[in-house]
């Protein structure tokens, strides 16, 4: 980082913290640059210049556009302080890769800005292991970042490439298009509610829902396969209804959504829960990191093949219409009267 606010070196803990165990360990064990070198500096392979200089250099292939996205994870808001650090490392990158997937972009590189309360080596080892396992699986290399002392906060900026003009946008949905969603919905919210104690899940169901919440799967391969097929796409981070709403607003269209088809996509077995709770989790749960996308009915076979080719389940859950607004119906086509919210940090 640039010099500290009071000019203190980040190698020595600030005066007020000298007595604390964490600060003493911090001074004894390692400073900012040792920490970066040990846990986050890796040779850049695809980028001309990675970690270690003032800037990284990226070289997208000729004819490609850079797709850039940034997501921040804040302790207590986006993750529980008890989460396994390897899972947190995975999730911090996964939520960013999910944005690239939603644009049909191929991951290239990322930067990592970290605020850490102190140097906790077991935590750093786990976090970097989870982070780089996912990075390596997607050929996405770290090229820079920033490290500072502060409340635990993780901010990743990801860079991808997409042929000029081929990015999947929120604005391309047309009346008559089908609405599709990838994978499963609602499990992450079920896990969160189980943590909060508002629902009870059998132990096995809780563990698999918790894995979905803590280690989402970014649908990168599906996003790439949908280029030229999907008319619009968005990833589901704040809940299906809210994120589909972004497509409707950007495209100037409305839709009818089949609540039962969406609710059937909950993966965990939770037979004791009411339809109302299950619908809430599936339709407005959030943290799913699936893709919701639209495509013309003539593209149904192509969408099915894109799903099969990327080993990703794809399910049709509704239809885009010219009339503005979102109409939520059950499997029989009857309106669902239940009200659904969408996640918003400020309301
Ligand atoms: P500057 O002062 O020029 O911003 P820094 O001293 O903060 O640079 O960082 C030194 C180098 O280490 C830079 O190349 C930066 O991108 C990289 N870096 C810093 N923190 C991290 C991190 N958490 N992960 C990866 N690279 C990092
Ligand atoms: Mg510099």
């Amino acid at each position: 980082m640039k010099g500290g606010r009071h000019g203190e070196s980040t190698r020595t803990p600030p005066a007020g913290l000298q007595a604390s165990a964490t600060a003493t360990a911090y001074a004894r064990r390692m400073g900012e640059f040792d920490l970066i070198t040990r846990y986050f500096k890796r040779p850049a392979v695809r980028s001309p210049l990675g970690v270690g200089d003032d800037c990284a250099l990226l070289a997208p292939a000729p004819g490609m556009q850079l797709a850039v996205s940034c997501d921040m994870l804040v302790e207590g808001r986006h993750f529980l302080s008890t989460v396994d650090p390897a899972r947190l490392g995975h999730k911090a990158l996964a939520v960013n890769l999910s944005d690239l997937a939603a644009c049909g972009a191929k991951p290239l590189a990322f930067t990592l800005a970290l605020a850490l309360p102190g140097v906790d080596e077991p935590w750093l080892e786990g976090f970097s292991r989870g982070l780089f396992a996912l990075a390596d699986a997607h050929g996405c290399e770290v090229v820079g970042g920033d490290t500072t002392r502060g409340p635990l906060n993780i901010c990743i900026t990801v860079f991808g490439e997409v042929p000029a003009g081929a990015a999947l946008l929120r604005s391309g949905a047309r009346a008559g298009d089908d609405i599709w969603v990838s994978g499963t919905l609602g499990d992450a919210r079920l896990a969160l509610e189980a943590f909060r104690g508002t629902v009870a899940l059998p132990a096995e169901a809780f563990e698999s829902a918790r894995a979905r919440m803590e280690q989402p799967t970014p649908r990168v391969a599906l996003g790439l396969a949908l280029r030229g097929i999907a008319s619009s796409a968005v990833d589901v981070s704040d809940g299906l209804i809210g994120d589909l709403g972004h497509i409707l607003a950007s495209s100037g269209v409305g839709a009818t959504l089949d609540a039962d088809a969406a609710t059937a996509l909950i993966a965990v077995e939770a037979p004791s829960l009411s339809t109302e709770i299950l619908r809430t989790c599936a339709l407005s749960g959030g943290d799913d990191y699936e893709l919701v996308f639209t495509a013309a009915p003539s593209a149904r076979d192509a969408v099915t093949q894109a799903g099969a080719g990327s080993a990703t389940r794809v399910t049709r859950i509704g239809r885009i219409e010219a009339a503005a607004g979102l109409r939520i119906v059950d499997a029989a086509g009857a309106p669902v009267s239940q009200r659904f919210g969408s996640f918003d940090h400020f309301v």
Side-chain angles (χ1 to χ4, degrees):
M1 69 162 201
K2 309 289 177 199
R5 192 159 56 92
H6 305 294
E8 78 262 9
S9 157
T10 43
R11 266 170 205 281
T12 329
L17 290 177
Q18 293 283 5
S20 89
T22 309
T24 310
Y26 184 73
R28 189 174 60 239
R29 284 202 203 130
M30 64 168 57
E32 174 185 343
F33 299 103
D34 306 319
L35 182 163
I36 294 166
T37 302
R38 178 166 312 175
Y39 293 106
F40 300 112
K41 184 168 181 169
R42 294 178 121 215
V45 177
R46 291 199 308 198
S47 311
L49 186 62
V51 171
D53 214 305
D54 292 307
C55 291
L57 298 174
L58 303 181
M64 303 296 255
Q65 290 176 327
L66 263 190
V68 182
S69 182
C70 175
D71 258 309
M72 180 158 60
L73 297 190
V74 176
E75 182 171 14
R77 177 147 283 270
H78 300 99
F79 59 91
L80 305 172
S81 54
T82 51
V83 69
D84 171 50
R87 288 187 170 195
L88 184 60
H90 172 106
K91 184 165 181 175
L93 183 60
V95 302
N96 280 278
L97 292 177
S98 178
D99 284 316
L100 290 185
C103 281
K106 185 165 170 283
L108 282 180
F110 67 98
T111 61
L112 169 67
L114 266 183
L116 300 170
V119 177
D120 176 343
E121 290 211 55
W123 188 92
L124 284 162
E125 186 281 319
F127 177 82
S128 57
R129 179 163 37 83
L131 175 81
F132 287 122
L134 185 66
D136 292 345
H138 289 278
C140 189
E141 62 190 9
V142 64
V143 292
D146 197 22
T147 307
T148 183
R149 182 189 289 270
L152 184 57
N153 190 327
I154 305 152
C155 184
I156 289 183
T157 300
V158 79
F159 304 86
E161 62 179 9
V162 60
L168 305 176
L169 306 180
R170 298 177 177 189
S171 53
R174 296 291 170 260
D177 284 355
D178 296 317
I179 301 170
W180 297 78
V181 70
S182 66
T184 64
L185 288 173
D187 299 291
R189 178 61 179 268
L190 272 177
L192 181 63
E193 295 301 333
F195 269 115
R196 288 174 170 163
T198 58
V199 304
L201 291 177
E204 208 174 303
F206 174 64
E207 280 311 319
S208 63
R210 176 185 189 169
R212 287 286 292 139
M213 177 176 95
E214 295 178 345
Q215 287 192 294
T217 305
R219 302 299 186 185
V220 173
L222 177 65
L224 294 176
L226 288 173
R227 279 183 196 159
I229 296 171
S231 52
S232 72
V234 67
D235 69 319
V236 183
S237 53
D238 296 333
L240 174 67
I241 289 177
D243 289 314
L244 174 61
H246 295 312
I247 287 185
L248 304 186
S250 298
S251 302
V253 293
T256 291
L257 180 67
D258 180 341
D260 289 335
T263 304
L265 296 176
I266 294 177
V268 302
E269 298 284 335
S272 65
L273 299 181
S274 70
T275 304
E276 191 174 2
I277 288 176
L278 294 173
R279 280 181 176 165
T280 297
C281 290
L283 272 68
S284 62
D287 249 8
D288 297 301
Y289 301 101
E290 296 295 350
L291 299 185
V292 58
F293 58 95
T294 59
S298 58
R300 281 182 193 171
D301 285 349
V303 171
T304 305
Q305 279 165 25
S310 58
T312 310
R313 176 179 182 179
V314 287
T315 307
R316 222 157 14 98
I317 55 167
R319 168 71 61 105
I320 297 291
E321 293 156 349
L326 179 63
R327 290 156 286 281
I328 302 171
V329 300
D330 65 15
V336 168
S337 56
Q338 186 179 336
R339 298 198 59 77
F340 300 93
S342 161
F343 190 78
D344 184 318
H345 284 284
F346 294 100
V347 292

PDB file of all heavy atoms in Angstrom, residues 313-342:
ATOM      1  N   ARG A 313     -26.548 -27.889 -15.707  1.00  0.00           N
ATOM      2  CA  ARG A 313     -27.994 -28.008 -15.877  1.00  0.00           C
ATOM      3  C   ARG A 313     -28.572 -26.657 -16.300  1.00  0.00           C
ATOM      4  O   ARG A 313     -28.194 -25.614 -15.757  1.00  0.00           O
ATOM      5  CB  ARG A 313     -28.565 -28.424 -14.530  1.00  0.00           C
ATOM      6  CG  ARG A 313     -30.052 -28.511 -14.432  1.00  0.00           C
ATOM      7  CD  ARG A 313     -30.345 -28.956 -12.997  1.00  0.00           C
ATOM      8  NE  ARG A 313     -31.747 -29.135 -12.751  1.00  0.00           N
ATOM      9  CZ  ARG A 313     -32.228 -29.546 -11.576  1.00  0.00           C
ATOM     10  NH1 ARG A 313     -31.404 -29.823 -10.579  1.00  0.00           N
ATOM     11  NH2 ARG A 313     -33.517 -29.701 -11.405  1.00  0.00           N
ATOM     12  N   VAL A 314     -29.472 -26.684 -17.275  1.00  0.00           N
ATOM     13  CA  VAL A 314     -30.179 -25.449 -17.654  1.00  0.00           C
ATOM     14  C   VAL A 314     -31.677 -25.744 -17.658  1.00  0.00           C
ATOM     15  O   VAL A 314     -32.103 -26.790 -18.137  1.00  0.00           O
ATOM     16  CB  VAL A 314     -29.727 -24.899 -19.036  1.00  0.00           C
ATOM     17  CG1 VAL A 314     -28.338 -24.285 -18.947  1.00  0.00           C
ATOM     18  CG2 VAL A 314     -29.767 -25.958 -20.119  1.00  0.00           C
ATOM     19  N   THR A 315     -32.462 -24.821 -17.103  1.00  0.00           N
ATOM     20  CA  THR A 315     -33.901 -25.060 -16.948  1.00  0.00           C
ATOM     21  C   THR A 315     -34.669 -23.828 -17.401  1.00  0.00           C
ATOM     22  O   THR A 315     -34.308 -22.698 -17.062  1.00  0.00           O
ATOM     23  CB  THR A 315     -34.236 -25.332 -15.461  1.00  0.00           C
ATOM     24  OG1 THR A 315     -33.388 -26.374 -14.979  1.00  0.00           O
ATOM     25  CG2 THR A 315     -35.692 -25.733 -15.294  1.00  0.00           C
ATOM     26  N   ARG A 316     -35.735 -24.068 -18.141  1.00  0.00           N
ATOM     27  CA  ARG A 316     -36.582 -22.977 -18.599  1.00  0.00           C
ATOM     28  C   ARG A 316     -37.569 -22.615 -17.502  1.00  0.00           C
ATOM     29  O   ARG A 316     -38.281 -23.485 -16.997  1.00  0.00           O
ATOM     30  CB  ARG A 316     -37.346 -23.434 -19.845  1.00  0.00           C
ATOM     31  CG  ARG A 316     -37.409 -22.410 -20.895  1.00  0.00           C
ATOM     32  CD  ARG A 316     -37.637 -22.907 -22.305  1.00  0.00           C
ATOM     33  NE  ARG A 316     -38.065 -24.245 -22.518  1.00  0.00           N
ATOM     34  CZ  ARG A 316     -39.338 -24.619 -22.729  1.00  0.00           C
ATOM     35  NH1 ARG A 316     -40.314 -23.733 -22.699  1.00  0.00           N
ATOM     36  NH2 ARG A 316     -39.626 -25.890 -22.976  1.00  0.00           N
ATOM     37  N   ILE A 317     -37.613 -21.343 -17.104  1.00  0.00           N
ATOM     38  CA  ILE A 317     -38.460 -20.955 -15.965  1.00  0.00           C
ATOM     39  C   ILE A 317     -39.393 -19.793 -16.290  1.00  0.00           C
ATOM     40  O   ILE A 317     -40.051 -19.274 -15.385  1.00  0.00           O
ATOM     41  CB  ILE A 317     -37.603 -20.578 -14.730  1.00  0.00           C
ATOM     42  CG1 ILE A 317     -36.580 -19.486 -15.077  1.00  0.00           C
ATOM     43  CG2 ILE A 317     -36.904 -21.798 -14.145  1.00  0.00           C
ATOM     44  CD1 ILE A 317     -35.937 -18.855 -13.851  1.00  0.00           C
ATOM     45  N   GLY A 318     -39.492 -19.403 -17.550  1.00  0.00           N
ATOM     46  CA  GLY A 318     -40.410 -18.312 -17.840  1.00  0.00           C
ATOM     47  C   GLY A 318     -40.281 -17.794 -19.253  1.00  0.00           C
ATOM     48  O   GLY A 318     -39.594 -18.380 -20.092  1.00  0.00           O
ATOM     49  N   ARG A 319     -40.953 -16.672 -19.471  1.00  0.00           N
ATOM     50  CA  ARG A 319     -41.069 -16.115 -20.813  1.00  0.00           C
ATOM     51  C   ARG A 319     -41.028 -14.592 -20.751  1.00  0.00           C
ATOM     52  O   ARG A 319     -41.665 -13.989 -19.885  1.00  0.00           O
ATOM     53  CB  ARG A 319     -42.421 -16.597 -21.382  1.00  0.00           C
ATOM     54  CG  ARG A 319     -42.911 -15.927 -22.658  1.00  0.00           C
ATOM     55  CD  ARG A 319     -42.116 -16.315 -23.871  1.00  0.00           C
ATOM     56  NE  ARG A 319     -42.174 -17.735 -24.151  1.00  0.00           N
ATOM     57  CZ  ARG A 319     -42.887 -18.282 -25.143  1.00  0.00           C
ATOM     58  NH1 ARG A 319     -43.616 -17.514 -25.926  1.00  0.00           N
ATOM     59  NH2 ARG A 319     -42.845 -19.572 -25.360  1.00  0.00           N
ATOM     60  N   ILE A 320     -40.258 -13.998 -21.652  1.00  0.00           N
ATOM     61  CA  ILE A 320     -40.215 -12.531 -21.760  1.00  0.00           C
ATOM     62  C   ILE A 320     -41.449 -12.051 -22.532  1.00  0.00           C
ATOM     63  O   ILE A 320     -41.846 -12.680 -23.516  1.00  0.00           O
ATOM     64  CB  ILE A 320     -38.918 -12.085 -22.490  1.00  0.00           C
ATOM     65  CG1 ILE A 320     -37.677 -12.479 -21.687  1.00  0.00           C
ATOM     66  CG2 ILE A 320     -38.939 -10.583 -22.770  1.00  0.00           C
ATOM     67  CD1 ILE A 320     -37.489 -11.725 -20.377  1.00  0.00           C
ATOM     68  N   GLU A 321     -42.037 -10.957 -22.062  1.00  0.00           N
ATOM     69  CA  GLU A 321     -43.242 -10.406 -22.701  1.00  0.00           C
ATOM     70  C   GLU A 321     -43.085  -8.896 -22.914  1.00  0.00           C
ATOM     71  O   GLU A 321     -42.277  -8.259 -22.234  1.00  0.00           O
ATOM     72  CB  GLU A 321     -44.466 -10.666 -21.807  1.00  0.00           C
ATOM     73  CG  GLU A 321     -44.793 -12.155 -21.716  1.00  0.00           C
ATOM     74  CD  GLU A 321     -45.562 -12.548 -20.463  1.00  0.00           C
ATOM     75  OE1 GLU A 321     -45.677 -11.707 -19.548  1.00  0.00           O
ATOM     76  OE2 GLU A 321     -46.015 -13.689 -20.412  1.00  0.00           O
ATOM     77  N   ALA A 322     -43.876  -8.392 -23.846  1.00  0.00           N
ATOM     78  CA  ALA A 322     -43.793  -6.950 -24.149  1.00  0.00           C
ATOM     79  C   ALA A 322     -44.333  -6.115 -22.989  1.00  0.00           C
ATOM     80  O   ALA A 322     -43.804  -5.030 -22.704  1.00  0.00           O
ATOM     81  CB  ALA A 322     -44.563  -6.641 -25.429  1.00  0.00           C
ATOM     82  N   ALA A 323     -45.372  -6.618 -22.297  1.00  0.00           N
ATOM     83  CA  ALA A 323     -45.990  -5.836 -21.218  1.00  0.00           C
ATOM     84  C   ALA A 323     -45.031  -5.726 -20.038  1.00  0.00           C
ATOM     85  O   ALA A 323     -44.509  -6.740 -19.558  1.00  0.00           O
ATOM     86  CB  ALA A 323     -47.284  -6.505 -20.767  1.00  0.00           C
ATOM     87  N   ALA A 324     -44.801  -4.482 -19.578  1.00  0.00           N
ATOM     88  CA  ALA A 324     -43.852  -4.249 -18.485  1.00  0.00           C
ATOM     89  C   ALA A 324     -44.292  -4.967 -17.209  1.00  0.00           C
ATOM     90  O   ALA A 324     -45.471  -5.289 -17.033  1.00  0.00           O
ATOM     91  CB  ALA A 324     -43.734  -2.746 -18.224  1.00  0.00           C
ATOM     92  N   GLY A 325     -43.349  -5.239 -16.318  1.00  0.00           N
ATOM     93  CA  GLY A 325     -43.658  -5.844 -15.018  1.00  0.00           C
ATOM     94  C   GLY A 325     -43.347  -7.333 -15.006  1.00  0.00           C
ATOM     95  O   GLY A 325     -43.190  -7.965 -16.058  1.00  0.00           O
ATOM     96  N   LEU A 326     -43.257  -7.871 -13.789  1.00  0.00           N
ATOM     97  CA  LEU A 326     -42.979  -9.302 -13.629  1.00  0.00           C
ATOM     98  C   LEU A 326     -44.209  -9.977 -13.039  1.00  0.00           C
ATOM     99  O   LEU A 326     -44.688  -9.582 -11.970  1.00  0.00           O
ATOM    100  CB  LEU A 326     -41.772  -9.509 -12.698  1.00  0.00           C
ATOM    101  CG  LEU A 326     -41.403 -10.964 -12.447  1.00  0.00           C
ATOM    102  CD1 LEU A 326     -40.970 -11.658 -13.738  1.00  0.00           C
ATOM    103  CD2 LEU A 326     -40.284 -11.069 -11.403  1.00  0.00           C
ATOM    104  N   ARG A 327     -44.715 -10.971 -13.729  1.00  0.00           N
ATOM    105  CA  ARG A 327     -45.868 -11.738 -13.265  1.00  0.00           C
ATOM    106  C   ARG A 327     -45.373 -13.109 -12.798  1.00  0.00           C
ATOM    107  O   ARG A 327     -44.740 -13.835 -13.572  1.00  0.00           O
ATOM    108  CB  ARG A 327     -46.895 -11.878 -14.397  1.00  0.00           C
ATOM    109  CG  ARG A 327     -47.577 -10.529 -14.728  1.00  0.00           C
ATOM    110  CD  ARG A 327     -48.128 -10.425 -16.101  1.00  0.00           C
ATOM    111  NE  ARG A 327     -47.098 -10.272 -17.129  1.00  0.00           N
ATOM    112  CZ  ARG A 327     -46.467  -9.123 -17.419  1.00  0.00           C
ATOM    113  NH1 ARG A 327     -46.758  -8.025 -16.747  1.00  0.00           N
ATOM    114  NH2 ARG A 327     -45.533  -9.074 -18.358  1.00  0.00           N
ATOM    115  N   ILE A 328     -45.632 -13.410 -11.534  1.00  0.00           N
ATOM    116  CA  ILE A 328     -45.161 -14.678 -10.973  1.00  0.00           C
ATOM    117  C   ILE A 328     -46.346 -15.625 -10.865  1.00  0.00           C
ATOM    118  O   ILE A 328     -47.365 -15.282 -10.247  1.00  0.00           O
ATOM    119  CB  ILE A 328     -44.514 -14.451  -9.590  1.00  0.00           C
ATOM    120  CG1 ILE A 328     -43.355 -13.463  -9.737  1.00  0.00           C
ATOM    121  CG2 ILE A 328     -44.020 -15.756  -8.996  1.00  0.00           C
ATOM    122  CD1 ILE A 328     -42.768 -12.994  -8.416  1.00  0.00           C
ATOM    123  N   VAL A 329     -46.241 -16.787 -11.494  1.00  0.00           N
ATOM    124  CA  VAL A 329     -47.357 -17.737 -11.527  1.00  0.00           C
ATOM    125  C   VAL A 329     -46.895 -19.099 -11.001  1.00  0.00           C
ATOM    126  O   VAL A 329     -45.684 -19.365 -10.912  1.00  0.00           O
ATOM    127  CB  VAL A 329     -47.918 -17.890 -12.971  1.00  0.00           C
ATOM    128  CG1 VAL A 329     -48.429 -16.557 -13.494  1.00  0.00           C
ATOM    129  CG2 VAL A 329     -46.870 -18.480 -13.913  1.00  0.00           C
ATOM    130  N   ASP A 330     -47.869 -19.957 -10.656  1.00  0.00           N
ATOM    131  CA  ASP A 330     -47.515 -21.321 -10.252  1.00  0.00           C
ATOM    132  C   ASP A 330     -47.525 -22.226 -11.479  1.00  0.00           C
ATOM    133  O   ASP A 330     -47.756 -21.756 -12.604  1.00  0.00           O
ATOM    134  CB  ASP A 330     -48.439 -21.813  -9.127  1.00  0.00           C
ATOM    135  CG  ASP A 330     -49.891 -21.950  -9.575  1.00  0.00           C
ATOM    136  OD1 ASP A 330     -50.151 -21.945 -10.810  1.00  0.00           O
ATOM    137  OD2 ASP A 330     -50.767 -22.053  -8.698  1.00  0.00           O
ATOM    138  N   ALA A 331     -47.325 -23.519 -11.262  1.00  0.00           N
ATOM    139  CA  ALA A 331     -47.195 -24.436 -12.391  1.00  0.00           C
ATOM    140  C   ALA A 331     -48.463 -24.485 -13.238  1.00  0.00           C
ATOM    141  O   ALA A 331     -48.411 -24.767 -14.437  1.00  0.00           O
ATOM    142  CB  ALA A 331     -46.840 -25.829 -11.878  1.00  0.00           C
ATOM    143  N   ALA A 332     -49.611 -24.170 -12.607  1.00  0.00           N
ATOM    144  CA  ALA A 332     -50.885 -24.195 -13.343  1.00  0.00           C
ATOM    145  C   ALA A 332     -51.159 -22.863 -14.044  1.00  0.00           C
ATOM    146  O   ALA A 332     -52.173 -22.707 -14.713  1.00  0.00           O
ATOM    147  CB  ALA A 332     -52.013 -24.531 -12.371  1.00  0.00           C
ATOM    148  N   GLY A 333     -50.281 -21.903 -13.857  1.00  0.00           N
ATOM    149  CA  GLY A 333     -50.459 -20.607 -14.509  1.00  0.00           C
ATOM    150  C   GLY A 333     -51.225 -19.604 -13.656  1.00  0.00           C
ATOM    151  O   GLY A 333     -51.471 -18.478 -14.085  1.00  0.00           O
ATOM    152  N   ALA A 334     -51.593 -19.999 -12.423  1.00  0.00           N
ATOM    153  CA  ALA A 334     -52.330 -19.081 -11.540  1.00  0.00           C
ATOM    154  C   ALA A 334     -51.359 -18.119 -10.850  1.00  0.00           C
ATOM    155  O   ALA A 334     -50.257 -18.525 -10.464  1.00  0.00           O
ATOM    156  CB  ALA A 334     -53.100 -19.886 -10.489  1.00  0.00           C
ATOM    157  N   PRO A 335     -51.771 -16.842 -10.696  1.00  0.00           N
ATOM    158  CA  PRO A 335     -50.875 -15.868 -10.053  1.00  0.00           C
ATOM    159  C   PRO A 335     -50.512 -16.290  -8.622  1.00  0.00           C
ATOM    160  O   PRO A 335     -51.352 -16.818  -7.902  1.00  0.00           O
ATOM    161  CB  PRO A 335     -51.699 -14.578 -10.020  1.00  0.00           C
ATOM    162  CG  PRO A 335     -52.808 -14.784 -10.989  1.00  0.00           C
ATOM    163  CD  PRO A 335     -53.050 -16.254 -11.103  1.00  0.00           C
ATOM    164  N   VAL A 336     -49.265 -16.049  -8.252  1.00  0.00           N
ATOM    165  CA  VAL A 336     -48.796 -16.314  -6.888  1.00  0.00           C
ATOM    166  C   VAL A 336     -48.899 -15.005  -6.117  1.00  0.00           C
ATOM    167  O   VAL A 336     -48.351 -13.990  -6.541  1.00  0.00           O
ATOM    168  CB  VAL A 336     -47.332 -16.820  -6.919  1.00  0.00           C
ATOM    169  CG1 VAL A 336     -46.719 -16.830  -5.532  1.00  0.00           C
ATOM    170  CG2 VAL A 336     -47.258 -18.211  -7.557  1.00  0.00           C
ATOM    171  N   SER A 337     -49.629 -15.040  -5.004  1.00  0.00           N
ATOM    172  CA  SER A 337     -49.883 -13.773  -4.300  1.00  0.00           C
ATOM    173  C   SER A 337     -48.752 -13.407  -3.343  1.00  0.00           C
ATOM    174  O   SER A 337     -48.619 -12.250  -2.946  1.00  0.00           O
ATOM    175  CB  SER A 337     -51.201 -13.859  -3.538  1.00  0.00           C
ATOM    176  OG  SER A 337     -51.145 -14.975  -2.669  1.00  0.00           O
ATOM    177  N   GLN A 338     -47.917 -14.382  -2.981  1.00  0.00           N
ATOM    178  CA  GLN A 338     -46.813 -14.114  -2.045  1.00  0.00           C
ATOM    179  C   GLN A 338     -45.952 -12.946  -2.539  1.00  0.00           C
ATOM    180  O   GLN A 338     -45.690 -12.817  -3.732  1.00  0.00           O
ATOM    181  CB  GLN A 338     -45.958 -15.392  -1.959  1.00  0.00           C
ATOM    182  CG  GLN A 338     -44.864 -15.335  -0.934  1.00  0.00           C
ATOM    183  CD  GLN A 338     -44.084 -16.666  -0.894  1.00  0.00           C
ATOM    184  OE1 GLN A 338     -44.598 -17.708  -1.279  1.00  0.00           O
ATOM    185  NE2 GLN A 338     -42.856 -16.597  -0.439  1.00  0.00           N
ATOM    186  N   ARG A 339     -45.489 -12.120  -1.592  1.00  0.00           N
ATOM    187  CA  ARG A 339     -44.619 -11.007  -1.986  1.00  0.00           C
ATOM    188  C   ARG A 339     -43.157 -11.392  -1.773  1.00  0.00           C
ATOM    189  O   ARG A 339     -42.812 -12.070  -0.826  1.00  0.00           O
ATOM    190  CB  ARG A 339     -44.962  -9.756  -1.158  1.00  0.00           C
ATOM    191  CG  ARG A 339     -46.397  -9.296  -1.390  1.00  0.00           C
ATOM    192  CD  ARG A 339     -46.623  -7.861  -0.941  1.00  0.00           C
ATOM    193  NE  ARG A 339     -45.754  -6.908  -1.624  1.00  0.00           N
ATOM    194  CZ  ARG A 339     -45.958  -6.494  -2.872  1.00  0.00           C
ATOM    195  NH1 ARG A 339     -46.985  -6.949  -3.571  1.00  0.00           N
ATOM    196  NH2 ARG A 339     -45.145  -5.624  -3.409  1.00  0.00           N
ATOM    197  N   PHE A 340     -42.314 -10.958  -2.679  1.00  0.00           N
ATOM    198  CA  PHE A 340     -40.890 -11.294  -2.604  1.00  0.00           C
ATOM    199  C   PHE A 340     -40.065 -10.029  -2.624  1.00  0.00           C
ATOM    200  O   PHE A 340     -40.348  -9.110  -3.383  1.00  0.00           O
ATOM    201  CB  PHE A 340     -40.477 -12.151  -3.812  1.00  0.00           C
ATOM    202  CG  PHE A 340     -41.208 -13.454  -3.918  1.00  0.00           C
ATOM    203  CD1 PHE A 340     -42.366 -13.558  -4.671  1.00  0.00           C
ATOM    204  CD2 PHE A 340     -40.746 -14.580  -3.252  1.00  0.00           C
ATOM    205  CE1 PHE A 340     -43.048 -14.756  -4.771  1.00  0.00           C
ATOM    206  CE2 PHE A 340     -41.423 -15.785  -3.347  1.00  0.00           C
ATOM    207  CZ  PHE A 340     -42.577 -15.872  -4.108  1.00  0.00           C
ATOM    208  N   GLY A 341     -39.018 -10.004  -1.830  1.00  0.00           N
ATOM    209  CA  GLY A 341     -38.074  -8.881  -1.884  1.00  0.00           C
ATOM    210  C   GLY A 341     -36.819  -9.312  -2.611  1.00  0.00           C
ATOM    211  O   GLY A 341     -36.677 -10.455  -2.999  1.00  0.00           O
ATOM    212  N   SER A 342     -35.901  -8.382  -2.776  1.00  0.00           N
ATOM    213  CA  SER A 342     -34.612  -8.720  -3.348  1.00  0.00           C
ATOM    214  C   SER A 342     -33.572  -8.064  -2.449  1.00  0.00           C
ATOM    215  O   SER A 342     -33.847  -7.054  -1.802  1.00  0.00           O
ATOM    216  CB  SER A 342     -34.524  -8.170  -4.766  1.00  0.00           C
ATOM    217  OG  SER A 342     -33.205  -8.090  -5.195  1.00  0.00           O
TER     218      SER A 342
END
